[in-house]
């Protein structure tokens, strides 16, 4: 994934989710092609699970807790299906590529933010799921506004 290129992002909405509604139940699944660099974002009422043996998808959804909205995501490092060394590599790759993934996720759903602009300042947390404690972490990744600004600034400079 390395750097986010909006031209390599394909977005699919699954009913009843549209670019503008609803907020409740909105789930994101981001996958990619290693060979082409293409990113695929599916936004729908449930996650789009693949049969990929590597499980490289990023899943996210909007949650409301005590009146605060949060974009909560998760990635699969290992549930015991990878040894500790392979899990360390997966963890490091996910950490390195998460900014690109979040740019794609936010940019791909930018029309949604025109209806819910307050969500641009909501916190983003990503859960790295692993059986190994050193890779089983919840990490704060800023706000959608940070990712939207980074992409739109670069897009307008071209």
């Amino acid at each position: 994934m390395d750097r986010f290129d909006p031209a390599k992002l394909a977005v699919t909405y699954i009913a009843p989710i549209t670019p503008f509604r609803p907020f409740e139940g909105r789930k994101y699944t981001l996958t990619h092609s290693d060979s082409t660099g293409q990113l695929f974002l599916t936004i729908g009422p449930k996650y789009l699970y693949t049969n990929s043996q590597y499980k490289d998808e990023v899943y996210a959804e909007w949650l409301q807790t005590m009146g605060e909205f949060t974009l909560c995501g998760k990635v699969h490092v290992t549930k015991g299906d990878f040894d500790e060394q392979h899990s360390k590599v997966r963890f490091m790759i996910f950490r390195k590529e998460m900014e690109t993934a979040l740019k794609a996720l936010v940019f791909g759903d930018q029309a949604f933010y025109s209806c819910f602009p307050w969500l641009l300042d909501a916190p983003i947390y990503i859960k790295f799921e692993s059986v190994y404690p050193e890779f089983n972490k919840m990490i704060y990744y800023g706000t959608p506004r940070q990712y939207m600004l980074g992409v739109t600034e670069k897009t307008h400079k071209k």
Side-chain angles (χ1 to χ4, degrees):
M1 279 193 277
D2 205 22
R3 291 208 171 119
F4 176 63
D5 178 358
K8 289 192 170 199
L9 177 64
V11 181
T12 303
Y13 291 91
I14 299 175
I17 304 297
T18 72
F20 306 101
R21 299 258 189 271
F23 166 80
E24 295 82 14
R26 192 175 200 87
K27 292 183 172 39
Y28 303 88
T29 305
L30 182 69
T31 62
H32 71 280
S33 167
D34 286 330
S35 60
T36 66
Q38 186 80 20
L39 296 169
F40 305 95
L41 177 62
T42 303
I43 306 169
K46 53 186 165 181
Y47 296 125
L48 182 66
Y49 292 105
T50 66
N51 292 327
S52 167
Q53 68 178 11
Y54 300 110
K55 300 176 179 133
D56 292 339
E57 298 84 7
V58 176
Y59 302 104
E61 67 181 308
W62 285 102
L63 298 176
Q64 182 180 9
T65 307
M66 296 174 50
E68 182 177 284
F69 295 96
T70 306
L71 184 58
C72 294
K74 62 183 177 179
V75 293
H76 170 85
V77 177
T78 186
K79 292 181 183 169
D81 42 344
F82 300 110
D83 66 20
E84 189 169 359
Q85 187 58 36
H86 193 163
S87 298
K88 180 178 181 178
V89 170
R90 288 178 57 77
F91 178 78
M92 290 169 44
I93 290 170
F94 273 127
R95 289 285 312 262
K96 178 179 178 276
E97 300 295 347
M98 191 53 64
E99 182 177 333
T100 301
L102 291 172
K103 283 179 182 178
L105 199 141
V106 172
F107 184 82
D109 205 19
Q110 61 185 311
F112 175 71
Y113 293 103
S114 66
C115 294
F116 300 95
W118 61 88
L119 294 178
L120 285 167
D121 297 311
I124 300 171
Y125 289 96
I126 303 294
K127 172 70 172 157
F128 292 76
E129 298 178 335
S130 176
V131 295
Y132 301 106
E134 63 268 30
F135 312 127
N136 189 41
K137 301 178 183 276
M138 177 78 77
I139 299 176
Y140 171 71
Y141 274 94
T143 67
R145 184 180 307 277
Q146 292 171 263
Y147 297 98
M148 184 70 75
L149 288 175
V151 173
T152 54
E153 286 172 2
K154 289 178 185 172
T155 303
H156 292 319
K157 286 181 183 177
K158 288 184 177 179

